[in-house]
Amino acid sequence: MKIAGLIFSNIHDHSMPELTRMRTMASIPFACRYRLIDFALSNMVNSGITNIGVITHYNYQSLMDHIGGGKDWDLARRSGGIKILPPYIAAYENAAASKLYTSRLEALYGAQNFINRCGAEYIVLSDCDVVLNIDLDDVIEDHIRSGAFLTLVTKRMDVTDLHLANERDIAVVDENDRITEIDRYIPTKGEVDVSTNIMVLRRSDLQNALSEGLARGYSSFHLDIIGKNLSKKLFHAYRFNGWYSQIDSLSKYFSTSMQLLNTEVRHCLFGDPDREIYTKIRNSAPTQYKEGAAVSNSMIADGCVIEGKVENSILFRGVHVSRGTVIRNSILLQDTYVGANVSLNCVITDKNASVRDDRVLSGHETMPFFIGKGITV
Amino acid sequence: MFKKKECVAMLLAGGQGSRLYALTKKTAKPAVSFGGKYRIIDFPLSNCINSGLDTVGVLTQYQPLQLNEYIGNGLPWDLDRTFGGVKILPPYQGQKGGDWYKGTANAIWQNMEFINRYRADYVLILSGDHIYKMNYSKMLAAHKQSGADCTIAVIDVPLEEASRFGIMSTREDGSIFKFSEKPKNPDSTKASMGIYIFTREKLESYLRADAENPKSENDFGKNIIPAMLAAGEKLMAYPFAGYWKDVGTISSLWEANMDLLGAHPALSLLDETWRIYSRHEAAPPQYVGSEATVENSSVTAGCEIYGTVRNSVLGTGVVVERGAVVEDSVLMNGVRVGEGSTVRYSILDANVSLGKNVRVGEDRAKTDQIAVIGADCAIPDDGIVPPGAMLEDEKNN
């Protein structure tokens, strides 16, 4: 059975402007050495999906650089493999007809070439703002068994764990796992089924839905394609039980990262030897802990040099922590340099940031202090 | 069609490395782990690609399975090429029969066709036994400039150690007039590093003559170089200054690992302009627990440390449980150290698993003997592995 994957790389960029100023949601660095797209890609690859299109919109240089030829995910293939799908803008037709997409449905209209030619029987759609390790084979089997038009992966969560300002789609699911309602209403208490926006459907069904959508001038996948058909077609919910996080703000990025310091969470995300998470290989040397280093409850990438104290923190590749420095509750992205006798608490530094000697910087866990790419403090 | 290559590298990787005992029971010496995430062969292969040499033949013979798997299509070293790249060259059977590689020179002679199909002007001969970073293109430039028939890389060694090496005596211009293999009374401190650049026609003619001589041991150091010197060919020494270590013994392998540590390591792998590449395992980032202590150590992805690690080198995915202590040791990929266990002055090969309260080795101040545990060994709770022990997994026999 041939299955293709489609990944939306930009869809939630606006929810985290700090880290998406120079990159797509897909290429946001996460968990020491990954980019968010690695989870969507690895989940697909681990389920044998090797024909994957990545829909992009803007800011996608960092994404192209990360993916390269796709070798690191075993997606450099003669047949299939990974394809970046930049926006399709016709040169000679009227500009209005070929404007940049603004919604998921419009993005799919732009990816019709890929959908029409991929030759797959089923298509899995995924966003890049979700962090989870999911067995998509199981989702696809469940989809086929249920005979549904579309299967949506949902996660039961307490509303108090949700970020109030987000536009997460809440699904109302009945006892037969049928979705009866989907909208953006967020109740104030109790548990809800949240859409992960991972979906499976038959390719021909997707093609038909897209032609119908184009004919009727639909613009929203959730409101039009799903919402208007809930009573006519079967929309099935696949309830995901594992650890899941959706990153929709800098503070959620921060709290999700910190959750990885919990060994159970880490093992849930990375622990299955048959379902590893792959990323671009950088060939960093092992990390050097120098005399006087004191590291506790921290997750650390290769290629770091640590001479100071690091607590409850996440260090990406090539970070340097100098002597006399104390780093607490912070996330330091790739190649951040921290000088001597510095104190950092609840700080996020973007790539190549540097903090000079003797600086004292602190944010709060609800509002981490952010130092942008390449900036020296 | 094969594109012409100015220089082809031939890497001799068939050595057994018998003095590494348990560590080379199941694998060839060049595939032995080093520095956490590397294998010895990563160094010459990375040196090749960093020097702009993209055509490398790897001659394998002893226990080639792991080495073949490891090298694969050469992707980690950027040597998966349409034109050139890395090729494994095992001994083979031809129409007139075939033979194992009888010596270093014979191994190259049997693969002359590989070199000739690239119409190479020069041949670089390397061995897979040493840890060092070297720009071979500079040596090639020196070879071309001097117009030598053969250039041999040499390193200055202390006079008292010179009798362990092949020693070159040179004139002022660097030309070699005498070569003595492991001399009792060395008259020079220039030791051969086992790295040769030959002009191809000369190499081919001397290898042919050597192959026709039934008394020859078919060895570069013992036969080819002396024959060339005797015939008055131009042999030049190419001086190398920098870190270079033969890791052929348990103690030298341990020392070389320790050279990665300290405030100013003798060997640093952090230099981004001369990266050492290796085949990568998709391990998650390393995690250091709340009660852990990690000092003066080199730690690789996938490690989880809840105990104490000092003056040690840890490979991919090593787990050190709560209350465990690892000191002055080298732990290769996938080693597990159970709760309350201590590992001192030891080398633990891949996937060794220690139960609870196991004691391996002895404080370095109290012993001069390294304890070695071979791959896949499991030591039950409260087990004791004395200093100097050499354990092997029985299933591997």
Side-chain angles (χ1 to χ4, degrees):
Chain A
M1 186 170 52
K2 278 179 76 180
I3 299 159
L6 255 184
I7 294 175
F8 300 88
S9 71
N10 287 96
I11 257 182
H12 305 283
D13 283 7
H14 53 276
S15 61
M16 210 163 40
E18 298 89 345
L19 285 165
T20 55
R21 198 170 67 81
M22 312 274 278
R23 51 172 85 89
T24 60
M25 193 76 182
S27 47
I28 286 180
F30 180 76
C32 291
R33 54 200 280 268
Y34 304 94
R35 304 274 183 155
L36 286 178
I37 195 174
D38 291 335
F39 297 92
L41 277 179
S42 302
N43 284 330
M44 288 183 180
V45 169
N46 286 335
S47 295
I49 302 173
T50 56
N51 188 3
I52 299 173
V54 180
I55 299 177
T56 58
H57 194 172
Y58 44 75
N59 265 0
Y60 55 87
Q61 271 185 18
S62 63
L63 178 66
M64 305 267 292
D65 178 54
H66 180 64
I67 303 234
K71 270 178 180 167
D72 292 326
W73 300 264
D74 202 14
L75 288 172
R77 306 282 178 114
R78 287 229 187 271
S79 143
I82 190 163
K83 290 186 188 71
I84 304 257
L85 309 172
Y88 180 80
I89 301 175
Y92 302 109
E93 283 156 41
N94 71 50
S98 59
K99 65 180 195 302
L100 275 176
Y101 68 80
T102 55
S103 72
R104 182 185 307 274
L105 188 57
E106 286 171 12
L108 284 170
Y109 294 150
Q112 270 179 308
N113 261 340
F114 175 83
I115 296 168
N116 293 339
R117 287 180 190 172
C118 69
E121 203 173 336
Y122 293 91
I123 294 204
V124 178
L125 309 178
S126 179
D127 291 357
C128 285
D129 60 339
V130 290
V131 183
L132 77 171
N133 190 331
I134 183 171
D135 182 353
L136 291 173
D137 279 335
D138 198 42
V139 180
I140 294 158
E141 268 176 43
D142 191 46
H143 172 75
I144 294 169
R145 208 182 309 124
S146 71
F149 169 75
L150 181 147
T151 294
L152 176 68
V153 177
T154 61
K155 171 72 182 169
R156 187 138 266 251
M157 292 179 97
D158 196 296
V159 276
T160 48
D161 292 339
L162 294 176
H163 193 252
L164 282 178
N166 78 5
E167 12 172 280
R168 186 80 329 206
D169 302 283
I170 307 295
V172 178
V173 183
D174 72 12
E175 64 277 11
N176 299 319
D177 295 336
R178 180 181 180 139
I179 299 171
T180 56
E181 225 180 295
I182 189 152
D183 57 23
R184 292 169 186 217
Y185 164 71
I186 300 175
T188 49
K189 58 178 186 190
E191 287 198 319
V192 288
D193 291 301
V194 176
S195 163
T196 64
N197 280 331
I198 295 171
M199 295 175 232
V200 181
L201 67 175
R202 195 178 275 278
R203 182 171 67 113
S204 53
D205 286 342
L206 179 63
Q207 286 171 309
N208 292 340
L210 292 180
S211 344
E212 187 194 337
L214 273 173
R216 293 176 192 262
Y218 288 167
S219 63
S220 163
F221 194 86
H222 279 93
L223 299 179
D224 298 322
I225 304 286
I226 301 182
K228 291 193 169 132
N229 288 307
L230 279 171
S231 55
K232 297 177 213 153
K233 294 170 180 167
L234 175 59
F235 288 82
H236 175 69
Y238 176 93
R239 297 170 187 270
F240 177 65
N241 288 322
W243 182 82
Y244 163 79
S245 182
Q246 189 234 345
I247 293 176
D248 54 15
S249 66
L250 195 64
S251 64
K252 190 68 184 293
Y253 175 82
F254 185 79
S255 64
T256 301
S257 299
M258 290 301 158
Q259 278 188 61
L260 298 176
L261 297 179
N262 178 327
T263 296
E264 241 173 76
V265 168
R266 221 171 42 250
H267 285 181
C268 197
L269 193 57
F270 298 113
D272 186 343
D274 292 326
R275 307 195 50 81
E276 290 173 321
I277 306 297
Y278 313 101
T279 190
K280 182 184 175 185
I281 288 168
R282 199 192 172 201
N283 277 294
S284 307
T287 284
Q288 303 293 310
Y289 296 77
K290 298 290 187 182
E291 203 70 59
V295 180
S296 74
N297 193 37
S298 295
M299 193 159 88
I300 291 165
D302 279 356
C304 296
V305 176
I306 303 172
E307 300 174 298
K309 191 169 180 176
V310 179
E311 256 179 45
N312 309 328
S313 294
I314 290 172
L315 270 50
F316 283 65
R317 297 188 272 207
V319 168
H320 189 113
V321 178
S322 308
R323 207 161 279 282
T325 285
V326 180
I327 291 168
R328 289 195 176 93
N329 312 311
S330 295
I331 301 172
L332 310 183
L333 264 54
Q334 194 170 311
D335 296 324
T336 294
Y337 181 89
V338 186
N341 306 312
V342 169
S343 168
L344 301 183
N345 182 36
C346 293
V347 170
I348 299 177
T349 62
D350 205 336
K351 277 176 80 173
N352 296 309
S354 63
V355 182
R356 295 218 171 111
D357 294 357
D358 306 317
R359 301 288 189 267
V360 177
L361 300 169
S362 181
H364 186 264
E365 41 190 275
T366 54
M367 181 61 83
F369 184 78
F370 181 77
I371 301 173
K373 197 171 176 178
I375 287 177
T376 300
V377 176
Chain B
M1 197 50 214
F2 291 87
K3 286 202 172 191
K4 179 179 165 60
K5 298 284 178 183
E6 185 188 34
C7 182
V8 167
M10 299 295 274
L11 176 48
L12 297 158
Q16 179 181 357
S18 54
R19 288 172 303 155
L20 288 170
Y21 305 98
L23 302 179
T24 48
K25 180 134 189 115
K26 293 273 281 182
T27 194
K29 179 173 164 187
V32 167
S33 293
F34 173 79
K37 65 190 290 189
Y38 307 95
R39 307 232 183 188
I40 296 169
I41 199 169
D42 287 330
F43 287 80
L45 284 178
S46 301
N47 286 339
C48 280
I49 196 70
N50 288 337
S51 304
L53 292 171
D54 60 11
T55 307
V56 184
V58 178
L59 299 111
T60 60
Q61 177 151 295
Y62 173 80
Q63 291 279 18
L65 175 67
Q66 283 196 18
L67 196 55
N68 292 351
E69 267 176 5
Y70 187 72
I71 292 171
N73 65 352
L75 172 66
W77 306 272
D78 220 358
L79 286 169
D80 54 328
R81 299 295 180 98
T82 304
F83 307 113
V86 66
K87 296 280 182 306
I88 304 264
L89 303 170
Y92 56 89
Q93 292 276 328
Q95 240 175 4
K96 292 178 199 156
D99 217 334
W100 295 103
Y101 294 150
K102 279 173 288 195
T104 50
N106 178 257
I108 303 295
W109 171 243
Q110 289 199 37
N111 289 287
M112 226 35 232
E113 197 190 332
F114 172 81
I115 296 166
N116 289 336
R117 75 209 301 193
Y118 292 104
R119 289 164 284 148
D121 301 319
Y122 306 100
V123 182
L124 169 68
I125 311 280
L126 301 168
S127 72
D129 301 349
H130 301 101
I131 302 294
Y132 64 109
K133 297 194 280 188
M134 179 177 180
N135 190 338
Y136 302 135
S137 67
K138 286 186 181 165
M139 180 174 169
L140 181 60
H143 177 79
K144 280 154 63 177
Q145 202 191 358
S146 70
D149 301 300
C150 173
T151 299
I152 303 173
V154 296
I155 190 161
D156 247 327
V157 294
L159 188 61
E160 60 272 22
E161 284 181 31
S163 54
R164 295 200 292 121
F165 297 93
I167 294 296
M168 309 284 163
S169 306
T170 57
R171 301 182 190 92
E172 234 164 64
D173 65 351
S175 61
I176 299 165
F177 63 87
K178 188 177 155 200
F179 172 83
S180 12
E181 184 75 38
K182 296 183 180 150
K184 283 211 177 85
N185 301 303
D187 48 12
S188 154
T189 54
K190 289 190 172 69
S192 165
M193 298 165 67
I195 300 167
Y196 311 97
I197 292 178
F198 288 93
T199 301
R200 182 180 48 103
E201 292 84 3
K202 282 283 177 205
L203 175 68
E204 191 166 1
S205 69
Y206 277 90
L207 288 180
R208 179 176 292 116
D210 180 68
E212 286 162 2
N213 175 4
K215 287 182 189 157
S216 172
E217 290 178 57
N218 311 111
D219 185 87
F220 276 103
K222 288 176 192 150
N223 308 103
I224 304 293
I225 302 300
M228 286 180 83
L229 273 175
E233 305 285 3
K234 185 171 183 184
L235 280 78
M236 296 292 288
Y238 175 79
F240 173 78
Y243 186 89
W244 179 78
K245 193 150 191 131
D246 184 330
V247 286
T249 63
I250 295 289
S251 60
S252 65
L253 180 66
W254 182 87
E255 279 165 25
N257 274 286
M258 293 301 136
D259 286 339
L260 295 165
L261 306 179
H264 305 285
L267 172 64
S268 172
L269 302 177
L270 292 166
D271 177 8
E272 304 222 330
T273 61
W274 203 269
R275 273 194 190 151
I276 303 301
Y277 301 94
S278 65
R279 192 169 281 281
H280 194 86
E281 293 184 40
Q286 52 194 272
Y287 173 76
V288 180
S290 300
E291 291 151 41
T293 302
V294 187
E295 271 192 299
N296 192 35
S297 293
S298 170
V299 181
T300 312
C303 288
E304 294 198 11
I305 302 170
Y306 303 95
T308 299
V309 176
R310 283 201 190 88
N311 310 327
S312 295
V313 175
L314 272 50
T316 306
V318 170
V319 178
V320 179
E321 302 275 16
R322 196 182 293 256
V325 177
V326 176
E327 280 178 346
D328 305 308
S329 294
V330 178
L331 274 50
M332 295 176 185
N333 294 356
V335 168
R336 291 191 77 92
V337 181
E339 259 181 58
S341 291
T342 57
V343 178
R344 293 196 165 92
Y345 199 34
S346 301
I347 298 179
L348 274 49
D349 202 351
N351 303 316
V352 164
S353 164
L354 308 182
K356 290 180 186 170
N357 305 313
V358 172
R359 311 187 78 78
V360 180
E362 176 62 272
D363 198 322
R364 222 188 128 201
K366 296 181 192 155
T367 181
D368 55 2
Q369 288 191 299
I370 300 171
V372 179
I373 306 183
D376 306 318
C377 278
I379 311 289
D381 293 356
D382 306 309
I384 292 177
V385 179
M390 176 70 60
L391 292 190
E392 284 167 11
D393 184 30
E394 280 164 15
K395 290 195 295 292
N396 284 350
N397 283 333

